[in-house]
Amino acid sequence: MVERFSAEALTRFAVELLQKAGMDAVLAEAVARTLVEGDLLGHDTHGLALLAPYVKELENGTMACAGAPEVLSDRGASLLWDGRRLPGPWLVLHGIDTLVPRARQYGSATLVIRRSHHIACLATYLLRATEAGFMLVLASSDPAVQSVAPHGGTRPVFTPNPIAAGIPTSGTPFLIDISSSITTNGMSARLHKAGKQFDEACMLDADGQPSTDPGVLTTSPPGTILPLGGLSSGHKGYGLALLVEALTGGLAGHGRADPPDGWGATVFMSLYDPAAFGGTTDFLRQTDWLGEACRSNPPRPGFSEVRMPGDRGLARLKVQLDKGLSLHPSIPPMLRDCAQRYDMQLPAPLEN
């Protein structure tokens, strides 16, 4: 039987655990809610699966516990911050809040953050923008990590380099969250730890041969994750990875050309106010039409319906808030082990 937990109880647990590990209360609240929302939306490699690793980073002194980002450049509609290794979820949420009045004033506003810590699940931030009527484009790379090879190559250069967009409609927003690689480091690590393989060749071994084994990332020399598009069309993911690198490391002036300084992120976010362009009414008219055209599209064999990006995640969020959050089986033992170090206990599952 599937164990379900109260999302609010898990959030309180995560806040307390992060605070006991030394994190400032305001930052801990932002991190905890972001991780729980990742699981609520179904992104279970980038939700509470990250809590124990984040605590380890706090213990090692490689994630900052308190403070504020350093403003390196501010031209009104464009900003650059040094994140000073502060928790990524708090930096991104603080960044969106900083951009909102500027986007209303200028029509769009962009923030780039160098030296952020890891920012968890990109999809969790999109609703904060769409609920206020904005479109948000968000991208991230980690200049300290390489696991994805360029198309045609055999040695890693990039991270999976996710890019996300929150697009408002008059109803359910579109929540796009994709990577420029076929799979992610998190999923590869989970399968490798469980002794499992991918269903298809998502990897290349060190000799450049297609592989279903996530363990190729741990060999010496390491294998790589294939770019989005795989063996035949990987030039598309390769191009997307380069775009993300330019938006993050390029605009930040800090990236792979610099010495790595630990697990983290370089972040790009841009907020758009439809009212400053063709107008909010016509923006929603266009996005509503797209949603209807796609959702009413006759499904091909094997599909019961056509969904818009984010539909399934938002439906899952609603169910899990009502019936309880179902964690991936690998997560509760990890949380219990971490909690024991701080004389804490994971909240008990809900009674069925």
Side-chain angles (χ1 to χ4, degrees):
M1 186 173 293
V2 176
E3 288 186 332
R4 291 187 177 272
F5 298 81
S6 160
E8 195 55 42
L10 287 174
T11 302
R12 290 194 301 269
F13 164 80
V15 170
E16 183 180 355
L17 181 59
L18 289 165
Q19 286 187 271
K20 286 194 171 186
M23 188 179 290
D24 176 81
V26 173
L27 277 61
E29 180 78 18
V31 173
R33 292 206 172 274
T34 299
L35 296 185
V36 171
E37 286 171 14
D39 280 296
L40 286 170
L41 289 167
H43 298 265
D44 60 11
T45 59
H46 285 65
L48 285 168
L50 293 168
L51 182 56
Y54 281 8
V55 169
K56 192 69 174 176
E57 291 285 289
L58 291 169
E59 292 169 345
N60 291 341
T62 46
M63 178 190 287
C65 299
E70 179 185 358
V71 179
L72 300 177
S73 175
D74 185 348
R75 296 192 180 185
S78 58
L79 299 94
L80 173 64
W81 288 352
D82 184 329
R84 298 178 53 243
R85 306 290 297 168
L86 285 158
W90 178 78
L91 281 170
V92 173
L93 292 171
H94 182 46
I96 293 172
D97 291 343
T98 300
L99 291 181
V100 165
R102 296 167 185 251
R104 291 203 191 282
Q105 179 179 357
Y106 299 111
S108 64
T110 299
L111 168 66
V112 178
I113 309 173
R114 61 167 71 167
R115 297 180 66 243
S116 165
H117 207 286
H118 189 263
I119 68 170
C121 172
L122 273 63
T124 61
Y125 307 107
L126 304 179
L127 284 174
R128 196 177 187 99
T130 60
E131 288 174 350
F134 294 97
M135 181 171 73
L136 171 66
V137 176
L138 174 65
S140 175
S141 63
D142 184 350
V145 176
Q146 297 84 35
S147 57
V148 182
H151 183 57
T154 59
R155 291 293 175 266
V157 173
F158 310 111
T159 30
N161 285 11
I163 186 167
I167 302 172
T169 74
S170 62
T172 304
F174 309 153
L175 306 180
I176 302 166
D177 184 356
I178 59 174
S179 294
S180 53
S181 58
I182 286 184
T183 189
T184 64
N185 292 325
M187 182 58 71
S188 299
R190 174 177 288 175
L191 289 180
H192 180 55
K193 186 175 181 180
K196 296 181 179 180
Q197 304 229 341
F198 287 103
D199 293 333
E200 57 185 274
C202 296
M203 324 292 287
L204 293 178
D205 66 20
D207 295 322
Q209 297 301 312
S211 176
T212 60
D213 182 10
V216 301
L217 294 180
T218 65
T219 62
S220 183
T224 67
I225 300 173
L226 280 165
L228 191 66
L231 295 170
S232 62
S233 300
H235 60 283
K236 298 180 180 181
Y238 179 25
L240 190 59
L242 288 168
L243 172 61
V244 171
E245 291 288 335
L247 292 173
T248 56
L251 292 180
H254 176 84
R256 300 190 186 280
D258 302 295
D261 60 357
W263 181 35
T266 308
V267 185
F268 167 92
M269 63 178 78
S270 195
L271 204 62
Y272 302 87
D273 182 0
F277 296 89
T280 300
T281 299
D282 281 334
F283 182 93
L284 298 179
R285 182 170 61 87
Q286 296 294 334
T287 56
D288 288 350
W289 187 96
L290 288 169
E292 172 60 24
C294 293
R295 292 189 181 102
S296 64
N297 205 284
R300 66 179 174 88
F303 286 76
S304 61
E305 61 180 346
V306 177
R307 297 189 302 264
M308 297 305 293
D311 281 359
R312 183 166 63 177
L314 290 172
R316 182 182 281 119
L317 181 146
K318 183 178 180 180
V319 168
Q320 295 199 118
L321 283 175
D322 180 45
K323 296 185 176 180
L325 175 53
S326 174
L327 296 174
H328 186 275
S330 65
I331 296 175
M334 186 165 43
L335 295 181
R336 290 187 180 102
D337 288 346
C338 185
Q340 283 180 352
R341 301 202 302 273
Y342 293 92
D343 296 320
M344 291 179 59
Q345 288 188 341
L346 183 68
L350 298 172
E351 295 184 2
N352 294 303

